[in-house]
mmCIF file of all heavy atoms in Angstrom:
data_model
loop_
_atom_site.group_PDB
_atom_site.id
_atom_site.type_symbol
_atom_site.label_atom_id
_atom_site.label_comp_id
_atom_site.label_asym_id
_atom_site.label_seq_id
_atom_site.Cartn_x
_atom_site.Cartn_y
_atom_site.Cartn_z
ATOM 1 N N LYS M 21 43.886 40.437 -12.806
ATOM 2 C CA LYS M 21 44.970 41.004 -12.009
ATOM 3 C C LYS M 21 44.412 41.645 -10.736
ATOM 4 O O LYS M 21 43.424 42.383 -10.783
ATOM 5 C CB LYS M 21 45.735 42.046 -12.818
ATOM 6 C CG LYS M 21 46.195 41.538 -14.190
ATOM 7 C CD LYS M 21 47.073 40.308 -14.064
ATOM 8 C CE LYS M 21 47.522 39.814 -15.442
ATOM 9 N NZ LYS M 21 46.407 39.234 -16.222
ATOM 10 N N VAL M 22 45.036 41.350 -9.612
ATOM 11 C CA VAL M 22 44.640 41.899 -8.323
ATOM 12 C C VAL M 22 45.578 43.048 -7.976
ATOM 13 O O VAL M 22 46.804 42.883 -8.035
ATOM 14 C CB VAL M 22 44.681 40.809 -7.226
ATOM 15 C CG1 VAL M 22 44.270 41.394 -5.884
ATOM 16 C CG2 VAL M 22 43.783 39.650 -7.607
ATOM 17 N N PRO M 23 45.036 44.211 -7.630
ATOM 18 C CA PRO M 23 45.924 45.328 -7.249
ATOM 19 C C PRO M 23 46.779 44.964 -6.043
ATOM 20 O O PRO M 23 46.378 44.197 -5.170
ATOM 21 C CB PRO M 23 44.935 46.461 -6.915
ATOM 22 C CG PRO M 23 43.685 46.094 -7.648
ATOM 23 C CD PRO M 23 43.626 44.601 -7.673
ATOM 24 N N GLU M 24 47.970 45.535 -6.028
ATOM 25 C CA GLU M 24 48.891 45.205 -4.950
ATOM 26 C C GLU M 24 48.378 45.673 -3.596
ATOM 27 O O GLU M 24 48.726 45.109 -2.556
ATOM 28 C CB GLU M 24 50.255 45.834 -5.225
ATOM 29 C CG GLU M 24 50.962 45.235 -6.432
ATOM 30 C CD GLU M 24 52.347 45.816 -6.608
ATOM 31 O OE1 GLU M 24 52.732 46.686 -5.779
ATOM 32 O OE2 GLU M 24 53.049 45.417 -7.555
ATOM 33 N N SER M 25 47.538 46.716 -3.592
ATOM 34 C CA SER M 25 47.004 47.192 -2.325
ATOM 35 C C SER M 25 46.056 46.200 -1.677
ATOM 36 O O SER M 25 45.793 46.271 -0.480
ATOM 37 C CB SER M 25 46.269 48.530 -2.546
ATOM 38 O OG SER M 25 45.218 48.359 -3.495
ATOM 39 N N TYR M 26 45.528 45.249 -2.486
ATOM 40 C CA TYR M 26 44.620 44.243 -1.946
ATOM 41 C C TYR M 26 45.365 43.006 -1.431
ATOM 42 O O TYR M 26 44.758 42.129 -0.849
ATOM 43 C CB TYR M 26 43.614 43.798 -3.009
ATOM 44 C CG TYR M 26 42.644 44.871 -3.433
ATOM 45 C CD1 TYR M 26 41.888 44.733 -4.589
ATOM 46 C CD2 TYR M 26 42.494 46.029 -2.681
ATOM 47 C CE1 TYR M 26 41.000 45.722 -4.991
ATOM 48 C CE2 TYR M 26 41.615 47.021 -3.068
ATOM 49 C CZ TYR M 26 40.870 46.876 -4.226
ATOM 50 O OH TYR M 26 40.001 47.852 -4.616
ATOM 51 N N VAL M 27 46.622 42.883 -1.747
ATOM 52 C CA VAL M 27 47.412 41.719 -1.351
ATOM 53 C C VAL M 27 47.955 41.947 0.042
ATOM 54 O O VAL M 27 48.633 42.939 0.312
ATOM 55 C CB VAL M 27 48.557 41.463 -2.340
ATOM 56 C CG1 VAL M 27 49.367 40.257 -1.887
ATOM 57 C CG2 VAL M 27 48.009 41.249 -3.733
ATOM 58 N N GLU M 28 47.647 41.008 0.926
ATOM 59 C CA GLU M 28 48.075 41.130 2.316
ATOM 60 C C GLU M 28 48.887 39.893 2.693
ATOM 61 O O GLU M 28 48.468 38.768 2.441
ATOM 62 C CB GLU M 28 46.865 41.248 3.238
ATOM 63 C CG GLU M 28 47.235 41.372 4.714
ATOM 64 C CD GLU M 28 45.999 41.414 5.599
ATOM 65 O OE1 GLU M 28 44.886 41.441 5.039
ATOM 66 O OE2 GLU M 28 46.151 41.396 6.834
ATOM 67 N N THR M 29 50.062 40.075 3.252
ATOM 68 C CA THR M 29 50.916 38.970 3.698
ATOM 69 C C THR M 29 50.817 38.830 5.203
ATOM 70 O O THR M 29 50.569 39.801 5.915
ATOM 71 C CB THR M 29 52.377 39.205 3.292
ATOM 72 O OG1 THR M 29 52.821 40.418 3.884
ATOM 73 C CG2 THR M 29 52.504 39.284 1.785
ATOM 74 N N SER M 30 51.005 37.591 5.655
ATOM 75 C CA SER M 30 50.934 37.311 7.087
ATOM 76 C C SER M 30 51.909 36.203 7.429
ATOM 77 O O SER M 30 52.366 35.456 6.556
ATOM 78 C CB SER M 30 49.509 36.910 7.497
ATOM 79 O OG SER M 30 49.132 35.714 6.840
ATOM 80 N N ALA M 31 52.223 36.087 8.719
ATOM 81 C CA ALA M 31 53.140 35.032 9.172
ATOM 82 C C ALA M 31 52.525 33.657 8.989
ATOM 83 O O ALA M 31 53.209 32.692 8.624
ATOM 84 C CB ALA M 31 53.498 35.276 10.642
ATOM 85 N N SER M 32 51.219 33.532 9.248
ATOM 86 C CA SER M 32 50.564 32.223 9.068
ATOM 87 C C SER M 32 50.550 31.812 7.607
ATOM 88 O O SER M 32 50.782 30.646 7.275
ATOM 89 C CB SER M 32 49.138 32.297 9.618
ATOM 90 O OG SER M 32 48.376 33.268 8.900
ATOM 91 N N GLY M 33 50.305 32.802 6.716
ATOM 92 C CA GLY M 33 50.337 32.475 5.289
ATOM 93 C C GLY M 33 51.713 32.050 4.835
ATOM 94 O O GLY M 33 51.868 31.138 4.018
ATOM 95 N N GLY M 34 52.761 32.720 5.356
ATOM 96 C CA GLY M 34 54.117 32.315 4.997
ATOM 97 C C GLY M 34 54.455 30.919 5.489
ATOM 98 O O GLY M 34 55.117 30.137 4.793
ATOM 99 N N THR M 35 53.981 30.564 6.697
ATOM 100 C CA THR M 35 54.229 29.214 7.224
ATOM 101 C C THR M 35 53.548 28.159 6.378
ATOM 102 O O THR M 35 54.144 27.125 6.031
ATOM 103 C CB THR M 35 53.732 29.135 8.679
ATOM 104 O OG1 THR M 35 54.358 30.151 9.451
ATOM 105 C CG2 THR M 35 54.033 27.763 9.266
ATOM 106 N N VAL M 36 52.281 28.419 6.018
ATOM 107 C CA VAL M 36 51.545 27.460 5.182
ATOM 108 C C VAL M 36 52.198 27.346 3.809
ATOM 109 O O VAL M 36 52.287 26.259 3.238
ATOM 110 C CB VAL M 36 50.070 27.883 5.072
ATOM 111 C CG1 VAL M 36 49.342 26.996 4.072
ATOM 112 C CG2 VAL M 36 49.393 27.815 6.428
ATOM 113 N N SER M 37 52.671 28.465 3.268
ATOM 114 C CA SER M 37 53.345 28.418 1.960
ATOM 115 C C SER M 37 54.615 27.581 2.023
ATOM 116 O O SER M 37 54.918 26.801 1.106
ATOM 117 C CB SER M 37 53.675 29.844 1.495
ATOM 118 O OG SER M 37 52.497 30.601 1.355
ATOM 119 N N LEU M 38 55.374 27.738 3.120
ATOM 120 C CA LEU M 38 56.600 26.945 3.272
ATOM 121 C C LEU M 38 56.278 25.448 3.352
ATOM 122 O O LEU M 38 56.957 24.618 2.729
ATOM 123 C CB LEU M 38 57.344 27.401 4.522
ATOM 124 C CG LEU M 38 58.690 26.723 4.803
ATOM 125 C CD1 LEU M 38 59.654 26.961 3.656
ATOM 126 C CD2 LEU M 38 59.279 27.209 6.119
ATOM 127 N N ILE M 39 55.219 25.115 4.099
ATOM 128 C CA ILE M 39 54.813 23.705 4.177
ATOM 129 C C ILE M 39 54.362 23.195 2.814
ATOM 130 O O ILE M 39 54.684 22.067 2.405
ATOM 131 C CB ILE M 39 53.687 23.544 5.224
ATOM 132 C CG1 ILE M 39 54.207 23.887 6.622
ATOM 133 C CG2 ILE M 39 53.123 22.125 5.198
ATOM 134 C CD1 ILE M 39 53.132 23.895 7.691
ATOM 135 N N ALA M 40 53.628 24.028 2.071
ATOM 136 C CA ALA M 40 53.146 23.625 0.746
ATOM 137 C C ALA M 40 54.301 23.377 -0.209
ATOM 138 O O ALA M 40 54.339 22.373 -0.927
ATOM 139 C CB ALA M 40 52.208 24.685 0.192
ATOM 140 N N PHE M 41 55.291 24.292 -0.224
ATOM 141 C CA PHE M 41 56.433 24.124 -1.121
ATOM 142 C C PHE M 41 57.250 22.882 -0.759
ATOM 143 O O PHE M 41 57.739 22.161 -1.637
ATOM 144 C CB PHE M 41 57.315 25.371 -1.080
ATOM 145 C CG PHE M 41 56.700 26.566 -1.740
ATOM 146 C CD1 PHE M 41 56.827 27.829 -1.174
ATOM 147 C CD2 PHE M 41 55.985 26.443 -2.916
ATOM 148 C CE1 PHE M 41 56.251 28.938 -1.776
ATOM 149 C CE2 PHE M 41 55.407 27.542 -3.531
ATOM 150 C CZ PHE M 41 55.534 28.789 -2.948
ATOM 151 N N THR M 42 57.411 22.620 0.521
ATOM 152 C CA THR M 42 58.151 21.429 0.946
ATOM 153 C C THR M 42 57.423 20.154 0.525
ATOM 154 O O THR M 42 58.045 19.199 0.031
ATOM 155 C CB THR M 42 58.330 21.447 2.476
ATOM 156 O OG1 THR M 42 58.965 22.657 2.868
ATOM 157 C CG2 THR M 42 59.178 20.265 2.923
ATOM 158 N N THR M 43 56.103 20.140 0.692
ATOM 159 C CA THR M 43 55.318 18.969 0.292
ATOM 160 C C THR M 43 55.372 18.757 -1.214
ATOM 161 O O THR M 43 55.500 17.627 -1.697
ATOM 162 C CB THR M 43 53.860 19.135 0.755
ATOM 163 O OG1 THR M 43 53.826 19.410 2.156
ATOM 164 C CG2 THR M 43 53.059 17.879 0.461
ATOM 165 N N ILE M 44 55.283 19.841 -1.971
ATOM 166 C CA ILE M 44 55.363 19.734 -3.434
ATOM 167 C C ILE M 44 56.714 19.181 -3.862
ATOM 168 O O ILE M 44 56.803 18.309 -4.739
ATOM 169 C CB ILE M 44 55.095 21.108 -4.074
ATOM 170 C CG1 ILE M 44 53.622 21.496 -3.915
ATOM 171 C CG2 ILE M 44 55.467 21.095 -5.550
ATOM 172 C CD1 ILE M 44 53.310 22.895 -4.384
ATOM 173 N N ALA M 45 57.794 19.668 -3.247
ATOM 174 C CA ALA M 45 59.131 19.167 -3.603
ATOM 175 C C ALA M 45 59.271 17.686 -3.282
ATOM 176 O O ALA M 45 59.803 16.907 -4.096
ATOM 177 C CB ALA M 45 60.194 19.978 -2.861
ATOM 178 N N PHE M 46 58.773 17.269 -2.124
ATOM 179 C CA PHE M 46 58.877 15.856 -1.744
ATOM 180 C C PHE M 46 58.067 14.968 -2.690
ATOM 181 O O PHE M 46 58.568 13.941 -3.180
ATOM 182 C CB PHE M 46 58.384 15.692 -0.308
ATOM 183 C CG PHE M 46 58.325 14.264 0.164
ATOM 184 C CD1 PHE M 46 59.482 13.563 0.468
ATOM 185 C CD2 PHE M 46 57.107 13.608 0.285
ATOM 186 C CE1 PHE M 46 59.432 12.247 0.876
ATOM 187 C CE2 PHE M 46 57.042 12.296 0.697
ATOM 188 C CZ PHE M 46 58.204 11.604 0.995
ATOM 189 N N LEU M 47 56.827 15.360 -2.979
ATOM 190 C CA LEU M 47 55.988 14.548 -3.864
ATOM 191 C C LEU M 47 56.512 14.547 -5.295
ATOM 192 O O LEU M 47 56.380 13.561 -6.013
ATOM 193 C CB LEU M 47 54.547 15.057 -3.829
ATOM 194 C CG LEU M 47 53.803 14.877 -2.497
ATOM 195 C CD1 LEU M 47 52.385 15.421 -2.602
ATOM 196 C CD2 LEU M 47 53.755 13.395 -2.096
ATOM 197 N N THR M 48 57.132 15.639 -5.716
ATOM 198 C CA THR M 48 57.715 15.686 -7.060
ATOM 199 C C THR M 48 58.875 14.705 -7.181
ATOM 200 O O THR M 48 59.013 13.999 -8.193
ATOM 201 C CB THR M 48 58.188 17.113 -7.375
ATOM 202 O OG1 THR M 48 57.070 18.008 -7.304
ATOM 203 C CG2 THR M 48 58.792 17.190 -8.768
ATOM 204 N N ILE M 49 59.713 14.647 -6.168
ATOM 205 C CA ILE M 49 60.829 13.694 -6.184
ATOM 206 C C ILE M 49 60.305 12.258 -6.201
ATOM 207 O O ILE M 49 60.798 11.403 -6.962
ATOM 208 C CB ILE M 49 61.742 13.926 -4.967
ATOM 209 C CG1 ILE M 49 62.421 15.299 -5.074
ATOM 210 C CG2 ILE M 49 62.795 12.827 -4.855
ATOM 211 C CD1 ILE M 49 63.219 15.690 -3.843
ATOM 212 N N MET M 50 59.298 11.970 -5.384
ATOM 213 C CA MET M 50 58.723 10.626 -5.370
ATOM 214 C C MET M 50 58.089 10.279 -6.707
ATOM 215 O O MET M 50 58.227 9.148 -7.202
ATOM 216 C CB MET M 50 57.680 10.520 -4.255
ATOM 217 C CG MET M 50 58.240 10.700 -2.845
ATOM 218 S SD MET M 50 59.451 9.436 -2.413
ATOM 219 C CE MET M 50 58.394 7.989 -2.397
ATOM 220 N N GLU M 51 57.421 11.236 -7.322
ATOM 221 C CA GLU M 51 56.789 10.991 -8.620
ATOM 222 C C GLU M 51 57.836 10.753 -9.701
ATOM 223 O O GLU M 51 57.651 9.919 -10.598
ATOM 224 C CB GLU M 51 55.907 12.178 -9.000
ATOM 225 C CG GLU M 51 55.010 11.943 -10.198
ATOM 226 C CD GLU M 51 53.967 10.881 -9.956
ATOM 227 O OE1 GLU M 51 53.577 10.679 -8.778
ATOM 228 O OE2 GLU M 51 53.549 10.232 -10.937
ATOM 229 N N PHE M 52 58.967 11.456 -9.616
ATOM 230 C CA PHE M 52 60.036 11.239 -10.587
ATOM 231 C C PHE M 52 60.635 9.849 -10.432
ATOM 232 O O PHE M 52 61.005 9.202 -11.433
ATOM 233 C CB PHE M 52 61.115 12.309 -10.412
ATOM 234 C CG PHE M 52 62.231 12.215 -11.410
ATOM 235 C CD1 PHE M 52 62.029 12.581 -12.725
ATOM 236 C CD2 PHE M 52 63.480 11.749 -11.029
ATOM 237 C CE1 PHE M 52 63.051 12.486 -13.661
ATOM 238 C CE2 PHE M 52 64.509 11.652 -11.945
ATOM 239 C CZ PHE M 52 64.298 12.026 -13.267
ATOM 240 N N MET M 53 60.733 9.356 -9.200
ATOM 241 C CA MET M 53 61.228 7.990 -8.980
ATOM 242 C C MET M 53 60.258 6.963 -9.551
ATOM 243 O O MET M 53 60.675 5.953 -10.123
ATOM 244 C CB MET M 53 61.446 7.761 -7.487
ATOM 245 C CG MET M 53 62.556 8.609 -6.877
ATOM 246 S SD MET M 53 62.714 8.413 -5.091
ATOM 247 C CE MET M 53 63.145 6.695 -4.985
ATOM 248 N N VAL M 54 58.957 7.218 -9.406
ATOM 249 C CA VAL M 54 57.960 6.324 -10.001
ATOM 250 C C VAL M 54 58.054 6.350 -11.523
ATOM 251 O O VAL M 54 57.928 5.330 -12.193
ATOM 252 C CB VAL M 54 56.550 6.718 -9.531
ATOM 253 C CG1 VAL M 54 55.482 5.917 -10.278
ATOM 254 C CG2 VAL M 54 56.412 6.486 -8.037
ATOM 255 N N TYR M 55 58.311 7.538 -12.089
ATOM 256 C CA TYR M 55 58.434 7.673 -13.544
ATOM 257 C C TYR M 55 59.638 6.904 -14.067
ATOM 258 O O TYR M 55 59.601 6.339 -15.166
ATOM 259 C CB TYR M 55 58.537 9.150 -13.905
ATOM 260 C CG TYR M 55 58.865 9.402 -15.354
ATOM 261 C CD1 TYR M 55 57.922 9.165 -16.354
ATOM 262 C CD2 TYR M 55 60.123 9.865 -15.724
ATOM 263 C CE1 TYR M 55 58.233 9.393 -17.686
ATOM 264 C CE2 TYR M 55 60.436 10.093 -17.058
ATOM 265 C CZ TYR M 55 59.483 9.851 -18.033
ATOM 266 O OH TYR M 55 59.789 10.072 -19.354
ATOM 267 N N GLN M 56 60.711 6.874 -13.304
ATOM 268 C CA GLN M 56 61.907 6.154 -13.741
ATOM 269 C C GLN M 56 61.727 4.638 -13.658
ATOM 270 O O GLN M 56 62.405 3.896 -14.370
ATOM 271 C CB GLN M 56 63.111 6.569 -12.895
ATOM 272 C CG GLN M 56 63.673 7.938 -13.250
ATOM 273 C CD GLN M 56 64.951 8.230 -12.503
ATOM 274 O OE1 GLN M 56 65.069 7.931 -11.311
ATOM 275 N NE2 GLN M 56 65.932 8.818 -13.176
ATOM 276 N N ASP M 57 60.848 4.165 -12.805
ATOM 277 C CA ASP M 57 60.674 2.729 -12.601
ATOM 278 C C ASP M 57 59.831 2.132 -13.727
ATOM 279 O O ASP M 57 59.105 2.840 -14.437
ATOM 280 C CB ASP M 57 60.000 2.464 -11.255
ATOM 281 C CG ASP M 57 60.113 1.003 -10.838
ATOM 282 O OD1 ASP M 57 60.936 0.290 -11.438
ATOM 283 O OD2 ASP M 57 59.367 0.589 -9.937
ATOM 284 N N THR M 58 59.942 0.817 -13.913
ATOM 285 C CA THR M 58 59.144 0.075 -14.883
ATOM 286 C C THR M 58 58.446 -1.076 -14.187
ATOM 287 O O THR M 58 58.794 -1.447 -13.059
ATOM 288 C CB THR M 58 60.027 -0.467 -16.025
ATOM 289 O OG1 THR M 58 61.029 -1.337 -15.470
ATOM 290 C CG2 THR M 58 60.701 0.662 -16.789
#
Side-chain angles (χ1 to χ4, degrees):
K21 308 302 180 290
V22 180
E24 293 184 0
S25 59
Y26 294 165
V27 179
E28 180 183 355
T29 60
S30 63
S32 62
T35 304
V36 173
S37 299
L38 183 60
I39 295 174
F41 289 140
T42 304
T43 306
I44 289 174
F46 175 74
L47 293 180
T48 300
I49 294 173
M50 297 298 294
E51 190 65 27
F52 183 73
M53 294 176 63
V54 173
Y55 172 71
Q56 284 187 319
D57 194 15
T58 60

